[in-house]
Amino acid sequence: GVTINWGDGSTNKSATVGVTSLSHTYSSTGIKNITITILAGCKLILGGGTNSTIFVGGNNSTYRNYVKQILIPSGVELSPYCLYFLYYADITLPPDLTDIPTYALAYIYSPTYSRIIPPNVKTLGDYSCYNTIGTYNGQRNNCVISLPESIE
């Protein structure tokens, strides 16, 4: 299971095994620091593996535009499409990550974004970093992708 602190004083706790979907509606606008704590002996995989089960916003792109930064802790795995279309997000990947699946980090246009692939990554799925360099809504993206020697 996991515990999620939504950054506004409320929390959710999932004690289930298998696929869990937790959501939250905020009563006010503003910057929220959401913290996910993985309970001992558990594993967290972000997303559901399709382009309609994305970690943030599902298939509603409106919500994805508000995400500015994601810091993913150690012990978290990525599923295909998990962070797909997070247009303006700066994302820090966990140092123990070993696999970046298909489209997991595609369509991220943050103009300040530099993607450092962690040193333990062995595989990059097809299109895992697709279309992250370019321009979106008039903002130039100077994305740098650094690959470790572990990539085969």
Side-chain angles (χ1 to χ4, degrees), residues 92-115:
T92 301
L93 299 172
D96 60 346
L97 189 67
T98 59
D99 178 45
I100 300 177
T102 301
Y103 284 107
L105 302 172
Y107 295 101
I108 299 171
Y109 302 113
S110 174
T112 60
Y113 183 47
S114 290
R115 182 171 298 141

Side-chain angles (χ1 to χ4, degrees), residues 15-58:
T16 62
V17 175
V19 177
T20 299
S21 178
L22 299 174
S23 63
H24 182 69
T25 302
Y26 290 97
S27 60
S28 64
T29 60
I31 295 173
K32 311 291 193 240
N33 292 313
I34 302 167
T35 305
I36 299 173
T37 304
I38 305 168
L39 303 177
C42 295
K43 176 170 70 169
L44 176 64
I45 302 173
L46 296 183
T50 70
N51 64 359
S52 63
T53 57
I54 299 166
F55 175 59
V56 177

Side-chain angles (χ1 to χ4, degrees), residues 115 117 124 145-151:
R115 182 171 298 141
I117 304 298
L124 292 174
I145 300 175
S146 299
L147 298 175
E149 291 180 17
S150 60
I151 299 289

